[in-house]
Amino acid sequence: PTPDEERRVIDALGTVGPAARSLDRGMLDPDDPRSIARIREQTRVLVEADRTVRDLLGIGVAELLRRLDPSGIDDQGGAAANG
């Protein structure tokens, strides 16, 4: 992928966690239009992230996350920023 495509994938993945955490079914009030709208919006965010990743990498978010190898993650950049 090009640097722009990599940025788009990373940006899309950055939306997945917050959107997924906000989809707690216990927080859905079927009688509250705002609650339904919030669930609908977060679902849209997840679908859009999956579409972006799929278009750029040929696999969806779930498959990408399954394929990630935690031992291949270089977190030294974060350590330098914190140290």
Side-chain angles (χ1 to χ4, degrees):
T2 67
D4 181 58
E5 291 171 335
E6 288 178 4
R7 181 194 51 77
R8 289 174 53 205
V9 167
I10 290 169
D11 288 348
L13 291 174
T15 66
V16 170
R21 284 189 295 276
S22 73
L23 288 176
D24 180 3
R25 293 283 181 206
M27 296 177 64
L28 173 62
D29 179 357
D31 297 322
D32 180 5
R34 290 180 305 174
S35 177
I36 293 170
R38 182 182 53 78
I39 295 292
R40 198 174 280 151
E41 173 60 17
Q42 296 311 315
T43 300
R44 185 198 63 75
V45 168
L46 290 172
V47 169
E48 187 60 34
D50 189 73
R51 182 176 296 131
T52 298
V53 171
R54 192 174 299 278
D55 287 349
L56 295 171
L57 301 180
I59 60 174
V61 169
E63 181 64 22
L64 176 62
L65 294 177
R66 275 193 292 275
R67 291 183 183 189
L68 288 177
D69 177 7
S71 68
I73 296 173
D74 176 11
D75 63 356
Q76 291 180 10
N82 294 329

